[in-house]
Amino acid sequence: MFDDRSPIYQQIADKIKEDIISGVLLEDEQVMSTNQYAAFYRINPATAAKGFQLLTDEGILYKKRGIGMFVSGEARQSLLAQRRDVFFEEVVDKMLAEADKIGVPVGDIIKRIESVKGRDEA
């Protein structure tokens, strides 16, 4: 599951975020404890705890004392909003800049998107 592209604790946080976005983890659902997570993935519990702390700091997870960690009620919507912002900045804005550079009119881009979307829906 883990690779060398970023620290393991960051990959843990990213995996949990992806599980929330995709609906594997639901709002107010309990997540594995840091010890369970560490045992399952055979990593140091402190590393798992650091990943969970990132998510707690971002408001994605919250702790119920003596019970465990849970997905916050607004986690999915917050993550989707962040993902949309990144999509527009990293994909759409760059695509439009490239299109402008090579002389592709925005209307042609819209037609292409509608054509591909129509094919996918058929």
Side-chain angles (χ1 to χ4, degrees):
M1 173 185 164
F2 303 112
D3 58 39
D4 293 334
R5 68 178 168 84
S6 63
I8 291 174
Y9 69 87
Q10 184 63 57
Q11 292 179 60
I12 291 167
D14 291 344
K15 168 76 169 101
I16 292 171
K17 286 178 180 180
E18 194 58 41
D19 286 348
I20 293 168
I21 288 171
S22 66
V24 172
L25 288 172
L26 304 175
E27 294 171 347
D28 296 315
E29 183 175 345
Q30 187 171 11
V31 299
M32 283 192 284
S33 72
T34 55
N35 288 333
Q36 289 170 322
Y37 207 90
F40 185 81
Y41 289 107
R42 297 179 183 216
I43 60 172
N44 187 313
T47 301
K50 191 169 182 179
F52 278 52
Q53 187 60 52
L54 283 176
L55 296 170
T56 302
D57 292 347
E58 291 179 31
I60 304 301
L61 297 181
Y62 66 94
K63 186 174 189 173
K64 286 186 180 178
R65 191 172 180 175
I67 299 174
M69 301 292 284
F70 293 80
V71 177
S72 74
E74 58 279 337
R76 187 166 191 275
Q77 289 307 314
S78 174
L79 291 170
L80 287 172
Q82 289 173 14
R83 183 75 64 93
R84 280 190 290 272
D85 290 345
V86 169
F87 171 76
F88 281 107
E89 290 173 13
E90 294 184 2
V91 177
V92 176
D93 293 353
K94 288 180 181 181
M95 176 193 64
L96 291 172
E98 181 67 14
D100 189 48
K101 190 183 327 180
I102 62 174
V104 177
V106 173
D108 289 356
I109 296 169
I110 293 169
K111 286 178 190 172
R112 175 67 178 197
I113 291 169
E114 289 172 341
S115 169
V116 170
K117 187 70 174 163
R119 255 193 333 239
D120 290 348
E121 292 174 354

